Amino acid sequence: MAHQLLNDPSDFEQWLEYNDEELLSEDFDVEEFPILTLRDSVIYPHMVVPLLVGREHSMRAVEAAMEGDKRLIAVAQRDADVEEPGVEDLYTVGTEIVISRKLRMPDGSLTVWAQGQRRVRILRYTATKPYFRAEVSPLEEVSEEGLSTEALMRAVLALFEKVLQLSRNIPEDAYVAAVNAEKPGLLADLIASVLDLDVSKRQELLEVADATERLQKVSILLASELDVLELENRIQSRVQEEIDRSQREYFLREQMRAIQTELGESDPHMQEINELRARLEEISLPDEVRQRAEKELARLSGMPSMAPETAVIRTYLDWILSLPWDRETEDNLDIARAQKILNDTHYGLPKAKERILEHIAVYRLAADKMKNPILCFVGPPGTGKTSLGRSIAMALGRKFVRVSLGGIRDEAEIRGHRRTYVGALPGRIIQTIRRAGTKNPVFMLDEIDKLGIDFRGDPASALLEVLDPEQNYAFSDHYLEVPFDLSKVMFITTANLLDPIPPALLDRMEVIEFPGYMEEEKVQIARRFLIPRQVEQNGLHSLSFSEGAIRTIIREYTHEAGVRNLEREIANICRKVARRVAEGKPAPKHIVKGSLAKYLGPPRYSFGVAEERDQVGVATGLAWTEAGGDTLSIEVTIMPGKGSLILTGQLGDVMQESAQAALSYARSRAEELGFGDVDFDKIDVHIHVPEGAVPKDGPSAGITIATALISALTGRAVHHDVAMTGEITLRGRVLPIGGLREKVLAAHRAGLKTMLLPKKNRRELVEVPARLRKRLKFIFVDSMDQVLPIALSPAKEETRGPRFGAEG
């Protein structure tokens, strides 16, 4: 058991008994005494204190002193936590004390009353077992008498009086004892003994032999203690005022409630105000928001319940109190787990998955420095953009929310309406954050390319602040009128096309392209995800599809970049099987290729027959559409006329200009290409692109139009297994195009073997799967001079010249 000061001295008259001749010994140089080690305390000369002694060596030291002249040396430990101190754990200056009374406690410890005599310095220890003994010499006190010392004593007494008035821990009679202290050393020791000081500071004062210097140190400590007490007193006064005001309001409300109860009345308005006030006190809000909420609540409290603005303020406060100002979910940063979830829910899409795993890795290493990315998933419909957003939220352990922006034309849908309007509400951003219940969800903005603009404002411009990490930490909604932090939100936008997105908005987003799936990927997606899901949703226990059946559905019953229609056809088959099961009729367990016509009807699309044979004036091009890549047949017919160029097939302005450029190129090279004798003023050129009901535009069909045109003028047939894409210039140069991966997939789907591509698109071929690159022959060209020998059959003398009419 540690020994300690039981309490502060209560009878300070005993402090003045330091002249008692029985307690003071004669002057001596060196004497040997038992040592009493103190924890958490220091005893000063002339100080009467009770001590609780519990350690074995300390009790033996007390017993040894009691057997002698009752004197021993009290020395403080440097570290109070040391149970069995050594010589090095004790200070070198202590206090000689005299034990006046000893009492044995029930637990075996001792309680002793001791009076400090004088300061001593420990010279050497003569024994450490069973208790400490040491030789000591007195530390003579030095004191200066004079006016400066007298002034210092008065100043210290004045400070001590102020401290005593503010402190609750110092006995009131301590000031009486201090006033009666005639010597500076005694005054310093008396004040130091009652101040709340740690052991190191108490020991520092004990070791100062100069009484004036010790009193100066005590003066500094008193001044510091006075500053702390004054600050503490101001804080307590302020707290007490708040408590008194709260209590007064509480009593008044209780009285009001009691009066209403006695009268048999209840005020729903006040009940609602009290509920709002209780909610406001419970939740944590930013300072600006809390001030605004308290101001509105005060306005509501002063309004009659029937005032028109009461409902507006109530609704506003309800929105403020229901938003997740400080609630957020903890992110799961396990990269392996996230990768497994993404792979289990989506097949392929390596770029999108890699970007999400990179985000998790960086967030794990530097969460406080990283800003949430603004991702934009761009690709054809049905490629898994929205569902991947759900998987990202699942991988991160966040909530997932979604807003469809398609057809929104009002800026207030994003920023909200001001409260001056009847029925005003926050915008969709704040509404969705409230629905999420956290301030860091995965927030998907679907169809961002479908935003509109009219007289009600530009929603795309309103999104600039939302989707900018440098600004959205203080997003301003017109309804709330206080900033809301959106910096923790992970925004993901989706689009089918980038062109409609304003450049300023597109610049704030990191674009990740979702290309169309190739046939092998669709087969795997159908096996792993679509078929099991539809079998379960249609209540079937087991139903399997052969690989041939899946490929036939892909080739002959769907024509898309994604897998949405593929899932519809699989669902169609499952429903028909489910009906047979429900009717108790025999139902198949395995769907094969031959039975598809029975469930889905005749094939709706052709596969692998872009053109069945070489033809004159017909070339196969490649186009990019919202549904992915597609093949495009260009037909050219030469007929007698007046030099007109006829374009049909719903061609856009850019495609019409490509046709005119191709014709100009052909006419400029007529001699070299073998139709220099053609009089263009006497013929009409008709260029047609089939599927005339489908609008078509873009420059990438330039070399295809030129090839078909030159084929018609020369009579040389175009190879039916060759597809081409590229923009043409008047000089016959071939310029690069976009959507290469989708166009390659379309060529493969159509059964084409050779592709002519612009040379500058060679570097983009790495985006094409390796399996696909092995099945197609790619020829890179940079001029029409390289295109024609590959695309056209060799010239024959009898076929030279224009072929009028269509070839039968």
Side-chain angles (χ1 to χ4, degrees), residues 20-66:
D20 189 345
E21 294 297 327
E22 295 180 1
L23 298 177
L24 294 176
S25 61
E26 298 294 331
D27 291 340
F28 62 92
D29 291 329
V30 176
E31 279 190 85
E32 185 178 358
F33 289 98
I35 302 297
L36 175 64
T37 58
L38 304 177
R39 291 202 293 194
D40 293 325
S41 62
V42 173
I43 300 177
Y44 290 103
H46 321 302
M47 174 178 168
V48 177
V49 294
L51 296 174
L52 180 63
V53 182
R55 291 187 289 186
E56 183 65 26
H57 63 85
S58 297
M59 289 193 292
R60 288 181 178 271
V62 171
E63 296 293 346
M66 295 300 294

Side-chain angles (χ1 to χ4, degrees), residues 538-543 573-589 599:
N538 286 280
L540 300 174
H541 297 292
S542 63
L543 181 66
I573 295 174
C574 291
R575 286 195 302 272
K576 287 179 169 54
V577 174
R579 178 182 174 182
R580 296 186 66 87
V581 172
E583 292 175 348
K585 297 179 180 179
K589 298 291 185 181
Y599 296 105

Side-chain angles (χ1 to χ4, degrees), residues 216-337:
Q216 288 174 345
K217 290 182 177 292
V218 169
S219 175
I220 295 172
L221 292 173
L222 279 173
S224 175
E225 182 70 12
L226 182 60
D227 290 341
V228 173
L229 288 173
E230 287 177 344
L231 178 60
E232 181 181 348
N233 190 59
R234 285 198 298 271
I235 294 173
Q236 289 178 346
S237 299
R238 192 178 305 122
V239 171
Q240 189 61 41
E241 289 176 1
E242 293 293 332
I243 293 174
D244 291 343
R245 182 164 60 250
S246 299
Q247 288 179 341
R248 185 169 59 254
E249 292 177 358
Y250 173 76
F251 288 135
L252 289 174
R253 289 196 188 95
E254 288 298 319
Q255 288 176 353
M256 185 180 298
R257 186 177 293 110
I259 292 171
Q260 290 175 347
T261 303
E262 289 294 327
L263 294 175
E265 299 177 355
S266 60
D267 187 356
H269 181 58
M270 290 304 300
Q271 291 179 0
E272 193 169 15
I273 291 175
N274 292 334
E275 290 175 2
L276 290 172
R277 183 176 287 107
R279 289 173 61 189
L280 181 60
E281 292 173 355
E282 289 174 1
I283 68 173
S284 174
L285 295 174
D287 293 339
E288 181 180 355
V289 179
R290 180 171 292 279
Q291 291 173 6
R292 184 60 181 268
E294 290 175 348
K295 180 180 177 182
E296 295 294 330
L297 187 57
R299 288 182 59 204
L300 182 63
S301 302
M303 283 185 180
S305 58
M306 301 303 292
E309 200 174 352
T310 300
V312 176
I313 297 178
R314 274 203 305 262
T315 305
Y316 176 78
L317 288 172
D318 186 60
W319 273 100
I320 289 288
L321 298 176
S322 60
L323 287 175
W325 298 96
D326 63 339
R327 297 192 299 273
E328 58 182 277
T329 54
E330 184 178 354
D331 285 337
N332 191 322
L333 303 179
D334 187 342
I335 299 177
R337 173 183 173 274

